[in-house]
Amino acid sequence: NATGKRPLSPHLTIYSLPLPSWMSVVHRATGGTLAMGFRLFGIAALVAPTGFFDCSLNYLAGIPVIFLLFKWAVSFPYVYHFFNGLRHLIWDTGRGLSLKAVHRSCYFIVGMALFISFSIASGAGIFPSAEKPALAAK
């Protein structure tokens, strides 16, 4: 209200969103990030010179902290969006819709997304290595 010099209600400066609302915002943001990332990667793969990606990754690998943050920034949207999508599929069956269950699933999703994405980024994680041992020469 401009004449009363009062903010419009509800305004983000006076209203705090509940946790499930923030989860919804982040779910939409990670979905948009993934979609845009796929598009940009595809365009870059078409126009970039040969070896550009290898050179870029080798440069990033030379700075371990930056490389770890880069890998986490790539893996977190996938992991978060995947687990939150599974939660929505469970909700579609009519399960887990009580307020207590919704909040519990929010904390579970955030915890799992952080744990698995940091595990993937650090390379130490919960998944076995894809490398195969070298074969002995005969």
Side-chain angles (χ1 to χ4, degrees), residues 18-125:
L19 181 61
S21 296
W22 282 113
M23 296 285 289
S24 177
V25 168
V26 174
H27 185 75
R28 292 168 191 256
T30 56
T33 300
L34 291 171
M36 189 57 68
F38 279 124
R39 288 182 182 104
L40 292 176
F41 183 80
I43 291 170
L46 287 174
V47 299
T50 305
F52 174 76
F53 292 111
D54 293 335
C55 181
S56 300
L57 288 177
N58 286 337
Y59 176 74
L60 282 176
I63 311 167
V65 173
I66 300 296
F67 194 49
L68 178 71
L69 290 174
F70 172 77
K71 290 191 297 184
W72 180 80
V74 169
S75 65
F76 180 77
Y78 285 101
V79 175
Y80 178 84
H81 201 76
F82 174 77
F83 280 114
N84 209 30
L86 287 180
R87 181 173 72 145
H88 279 272
L89 288 175
I90 292 169
W91 285 352
D92 288 344
T93 67
R95 296 185 195 119
L97 294 174
S98 70
L99 190 57
K100 185 177 180 181
V102 168
H103 279 273
R104 193 177 323 129
S105 67
C106 286
Y107 291 118
F108 178 77
I109 298 297
V110 170
M112 287 301 292
L114 288 172
F115 174 73
I116 292 177
S117 62
F118 276 122
S119 295
I120 291 170
S122 68

